[in-house]
């Protein structure tokens, strides 16, 4: 009988491990659902000795999404500049009211904005720079992952709208471009 008791305790121990494993699997599934709902591409979590890194495949449309959004935005700042007046009467009444001189390049993700690869490094871009499609504009740190943000098309930087080390939201204007 003494031998049977250790055997039953061993049998109960493995049955508790699958329950814990299923709980972890459930947490992982909820994390993936949340990533899809919030359109997050990559998440890295560290809890005790456990470290998770989940990365979704980026759809091909996501790469081209940033450029059309930036091109469609010049109308939005004009509407925000004079919300109570019609678009035609704003420039006449204000004289110099339409301040936006170009397009707005928005943040593709939530995180912390960095102008350079390190504090002592030169910024990736400055006002007046002509950027090619593959030029790195900045880094946005999200969940301890440094994400290089590329220009994706040619343009000139007219103004940098965010300070180094400042948190940014998804869709927040980062640069004024032409």
């Amino acid at each position: 009988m003494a031998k049977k008791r250790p055997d039953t305790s061993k049998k109960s121990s493995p049955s508790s491990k699958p329950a814990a494993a299923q709980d972890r699997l459930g947490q992982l599934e909820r994390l993936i659902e949340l990533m899809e709902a919030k359109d997050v591409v990559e998440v890295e979590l560290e809890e005790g000795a456990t470290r998770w890194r989940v990365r979704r495949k980026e759809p091909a449309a996501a790469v081209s999404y940033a450029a059309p959004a930036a091109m469609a935005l010049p109308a939005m700042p004009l509407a925000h500049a004079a919300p109570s007046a019609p678009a035609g009467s704003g420039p006449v009444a204000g004289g110099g009211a339409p301040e936006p001189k170009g397009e707005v390049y928005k943040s593709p993700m939530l995180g912390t904005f960095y102008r350079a690869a390190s504090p002592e490094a030169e910024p990736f871009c400055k006002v007046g720079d002509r950027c090619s499609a593959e030029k790195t504009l900045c880094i946005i740190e999200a969940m301890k992952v440094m994400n290089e943000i590329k220009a994706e098309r040619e343009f000139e930087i007219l103004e940098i709208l965010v300070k180094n080390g400042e948190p940014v939201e998804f869709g927040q204007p980062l640069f004024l471009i032409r």
Side-chain angles (χ1 to χ4, degrees):
M1 285 175 89
K3 290 181 182 177
K4 289 183 182 178
R5 285 188 181 173
D7 289 341
T8 57
S9 66
K10 287 181 183 176
K11 288 180 184 175
S12 64
S13 179
S15 66
S16 65
K17 285 185 181 180
Q22 284 186 347
D23 184 44
R24 288 281 189 192
L25 183 59
Q27 289 176 342
L28 184 59
E29 288 173 345
R30 286 190 300 275
L31 175 63
I32 292 169
E33 289 171 3
L34 182 61
M35 288 174 65
E36 289 174 350
K38 299 291 183 179
D39 200 28
V40 174
V41 176
E42 184 172 300
V43 173
E44 188 171 335
L45 300 171
E46 196 168 332
E47 183 180 307
T50 305
R51 184 175 177 188
W52 292 3
R53 182 174 183 186
V54 182
R55 180 172 176 86
R56 294 184 336 150
K57 288 184 180 178
E58 295 182 57
V63 175
S64 62
Y65 177 77
M71 296 174 82
L73 294 177
M76 291 177 65
L78 291 175
H80 290 297
S84 59
S89 66
V92 175
E99 290 179 23
K101 302 170 193 169
E103 301 172 35
V104 176
Y105 187 95
K106 290 187 170 188
S107 176
M109 62 192 317
L110 171 88
T112 304
F113 176 88
Y114 294 107
R115 292 190 59 202
S118 67
E120 59 276 345
E122 286 290 317
F124 291 112
C125 61
K126 298 178 215 110
V127 173
D129 283 0
R130 301 272 310 147
C131 299
S132 65
E134 289 300 311
K135 169 99 170 138
T136 300
L137 300 174
C138 63
I139 290 177
I140 297 182
E141 178 188 5
M143 302 295 290
K144 298 183 182 180
V145 176
M146 300 297 186
N147 300 283
E148 288 188 359
I149 307 303
K150 304 282 186 181
E152 297 180 0
R153 64 183 181 96
E154 291 186 15
F155 54 79
E156 179 184 357
I157 300 206
L158 300 176
E159 188 176 347
I160 299 171
L161 305 172
V162 182
K163 293 180 183 172
N164 195 45
E166 188 174 289
V168 294
E169 297 287 329
F170 173 78
Q172 178 177 341
L174 299 178
F175 302 95
L176 190 59
I177 62 173
R178 169 176 47 194

